[in-house]
Amino acid sequence: MFRRTFWFTTGVAAGVWATTKVNRKLSKLTPESLALQAADRAVIAGRRVKLFAMDVRDGMADREAALKDALGLGPVAEPERRELPEQRRLVALDQRHPYNSITRKEDH
């Protein structure tokens, strides 16, 4: 009698465990669950791509600095600022110039 009770209890426990496991797997295969899993994986992939891009950008900046050092190109200095010379008067606009009195008719 004890053997039958033991095996019956063992069978019931295995059946409950298997049913629970199957129900969990089936709930993961519903369309809503699959959509959530896909969205989560897309977010994770986006984060990985962003981290990769940041690593590439940092590597590019480091490599550019190393190349500038190797070529002897330091930071570019600002050109010296010079003031513009004072505005000059054009000779053609000067009223005292003898050619200013000539009109177009007399030019021929």
Side-chain angles (χ1 to χ4, degrees):
M1 169 97 176
F2 183 69
R3 276 180 150 177
R4 286 183 186 174
T5 307
F6 171 76
W7 287 113
F8 177 75
T9 308
T10 304
V12 169
V16 169
W17 176 78
T19 304
T20 305
K21 192 126 174 132
V22 167
N23 284 337
R24 284 184 186 164
K25 289 289 183 180
L26 286 176
S27 68
K28 286 184 179 180
L29 295 176
T30 61
E32 295 86 12
S33 178
L34 291 175
L36 286 174
Q37 289 176 9
D40 289 341
R41 290 185 185 203
V43 168
I44 291 170
R47 288 181 185 156
R48 287 182 181 169
V49 168
K50 183 178 179 181
L51 289 174
F52 175 73
M54 290 170 50
D55 288 343
V56 168
R57 190 176 301 135
D58 291 342
M60 285 175 27
D62 292 343
R63 182 65 178 151
E64 184 177 355
L67 287 173
K68 282 184 178 181
D69 288 342
L71 294 174
L73 301 174
V76 179
E78 276 192 41
E80 183 181 315
R81 290 188 178 198
R82 290 185 262 164
E83 292 187 26
L84 294 174
E86 291 185 29
Q87 187 175 6
R88 299 180 194 159
R89 291 186 59 123
L90 296 175
V91 176
L93 296 178
D94 193 2
Q95 295 296 331
R96 292 171 288 181
H97 197 274
Y99 295 114
N100 283 342
S101 60
I102 301 175
T103 62
R104 269 188 110 20
K105 290 180 183 177
E106 297 174 350
D107 194 25
H108 295 286

